[in-house]
């Protein structure tokens, strides 16, 4: 990979492999987790995507995937405290929109990334699931999904095709 | 409460008066639905025309709203925007609800 002096990830050797995109098209948000902060963050992300001339179904997918990821952080990674820091970096390069979300909370289970889940719908109304849709949607709507735990941080990287 | 309600042709039409059903309002939404539908026995059509975004929490709240309806009482959906319809379709929850393009279509649909 190319060396990018001053790029965000260089202070963190573990993240080098994913630091492909130089900073000039980058977008960075730093905020405390929480339902209302998530709303504000999504609004900023959507605004930024629109300013890049992106729209339609792609923006809908990005907003939904990031909502699920940020909800998971509030609910699970920071389950043991009211809020915690979240960093979100987004860039577009080579027809790929890439978003990295970093938190300092509880790691995902040892089994790593939750899978696609089960999309079978029970016949009985009483048996219908009221949750567990989040990871399913994240898998469905992303081009790729990568999780890494390093130096007390969860780093989730998702990509979307944007042509 | 960000819901409004009226009865028309023996159907209770509940309109979601908010633009997002997400983690910030999901629990309240389920409670609002219980309160607004209490005391009636007719079919309910939930008009989601003003809702431009739902996440899995919002979807869960709508499913929970269905599950808390008394036995035999229907909850239909109407006027789903494309992004909302997509969440139902991907999770296959579109097979659980009767989904109408318009409230008028939903009113006609229930007539035997």
């Amino acid at each position: 990979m190319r060396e990018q002096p001053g790029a965000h990830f260089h202070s963190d050797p573990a993240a080098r492999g994913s630091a492909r995109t130089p900073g000039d098209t980058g977008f960075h948000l730093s905020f405390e987790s929480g339902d209302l902060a998530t709303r504000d963050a999504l609004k900023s992300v959507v605004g930024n995507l629109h300013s890049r001339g992106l729209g339609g179904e792609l923006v809908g997918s990005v907003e939904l995937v990031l909502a699920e990821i940020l909800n998971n952080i509030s609910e699970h990674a920071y389950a043991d405290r009211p809020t915690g820091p979240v960093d979100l970096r987004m860039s577009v390069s080579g027809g790929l929109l890439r978003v990295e979300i970093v938190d300092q909370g509880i790691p995902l289970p040892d089994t790593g990334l939750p899978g696609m889940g089960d999309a079978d719908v029970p016949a009985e109304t009483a048996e219908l699931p009221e949750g567990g849709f989040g990871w399913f949607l994240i898998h469905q709507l992303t081009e790729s999904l990568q999780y890494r735990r390093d130096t007390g941080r969860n780093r989730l990287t998702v990509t979307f095709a944007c042509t | 409460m960000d819901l409004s309600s009226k009865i028309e042709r023996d159907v209770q039409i509940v309109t979601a008066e908010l633009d997002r059903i997400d983690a910030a309002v999901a629990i309240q939404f389920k409670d609002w639905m219980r309160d607004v539908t209490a005391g009636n026995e007719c079919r309910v059509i939930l008009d989601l025309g003003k809702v431009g975004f739902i996440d899995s929490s919002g979807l869960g709240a709508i499913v929970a709203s269905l599950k808390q309806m008394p036995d035999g009482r229907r909850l239909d959906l109407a006027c789903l925007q494309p992004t909302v319809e997509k969440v139902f379709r991907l999770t296959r929850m579109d097979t659980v609800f009767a989904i109408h393009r318009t409230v008028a279509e939903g009113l006609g649909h229930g007539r035997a």
Side-chain angles (χ1 to χ4, degrees):
Chain A
M1 67 172 267
R2 284 176 296 167
E3 281 299 308
Q4 288 290 332
H8 294 304
F9 300 100
H10 279 213
S11 60
D12 187 349
R16 277 181 175 232
S18 59
R20 289 183 314 222
T21 310
D24 57 330
T25 57
F27 168 83
H28 179 207
L29 282 180
S30 216
F31 56 96
E32 287 289 307
S33 65
D35 290 345
L36 296 176
T38 292
R39 275 190 183 175
D40 289 343
L42 294 175
K43 200 174 168 188
S44 298
V45 166
V46 168
N48 182 268
L49 292 172
H50 286 157
S51 75
R52 294 168 190 264
L54 298 169
E57 205 165 342
L58 170 70
V59 174
S61 295
V62 174
E63 182 173 18
L64 181 54
V65 166
L66 295 185
E68 300 303 336
I69 291 171
L70 296 175
N71 288 345
N72 283 339
I73 290 173
S74 300
E75 207 177 317
H76 300 296
Y78 292 133
D80 58 348
R81 69 201 91 166
T83 68
V86 180
D87 271 274
L88 185 155
R89 287 184 168 82
M90 181 165 75
S91 57
V92 181
S93 171
L96 215 55
L97 173 72
R98 180 177 171 281
V99 190
E100 185 189 58
I101 306 98
V102 180
D103 69 75
Q104 300 172 29
I106 300 164
L108 285 175
D110 285 344
T111 45
L113 222 45
M116 284 289 285
D118 186 357
D120 284 346
V121 178
E124 292 294 320
T125 300
E127 308 290 319
L128 288 172
E130 292 173 36
F133 303 113
W135 282 107
F136 178 82
L137 290 169
I138 293 168
H139 280 278
Q140 287 267 315
L141 295 171
T142 52
E143 192 77 12
S144 74
L145 174 59
Q146 188 188 48
Y147 171 70
R148 186 181 300 131
R149 176 76 180 180
D150 69 66
T151 58
R153 288 172 165 79
N154 296 311
R155 292 179 184 276
L156 198 61
T157 306
V158 287
T159 62
F160 304 84
C162 59
T163 45
Chain B
M1 183 189 294
D2 292 335
L3 297 176
S4 63
S5 168
K6 62 181 176 182
I7 308 258
E8 212 172 289
R9 287 150 67 179
D10 290 331
V11 178
Q12 184 179 12
I13 300 158
V14 177
T15 304
E17 304 284 353
L18 69 180
D19 61 359
R20 304 173 75 84
I21 308 177
D22 60 11
V25 295
I27 292 168
Q28 287 166 288
F29 185 87
K30 176 186 166 180
D31 291 344
W32 293 336
M33 281 297 288
R34 189 192 52 226
D35 294 347
V36 81
T37 56
N40 295 311
E41 288 176 359
C42 54
R43 180 164 67 102
V44 175
I45 298 177
L46 174 60
D47 178 350
L48 292 172
K50 293 175 183 169
V51 178
F53 179 83
I54 66 165
D55 62 11
S56 65
S57 312
L59 177 67
I62 294 170
V63 173
S65 301
L66 170 67
K67 290 171 71 174
Q68 72 192 357
M69 300 279 283
D71 277 350
R73 199 168 167 207
R74 273 175 63 187
L75 174 62
D76 295 356
L77 307 178
C79 310
L80 274 60
Q81 294 192 29
T83 50
V84 173
E85 187 274 334
K86 189 173 179 178
V87 174
F88 278 86
R89 182 163 37 83
L90 288 172
T91 58
R92 296 218 233 148
M93 289 298 119
D94 61 344
T95 62
V96 169
F97 294 89
I99 298 178
H100 311 289
R101 277 177 303 169
T102 62
V103 170
E105 187 185 290
L107 287 172
H109 191 266
R111 299 170 90 189

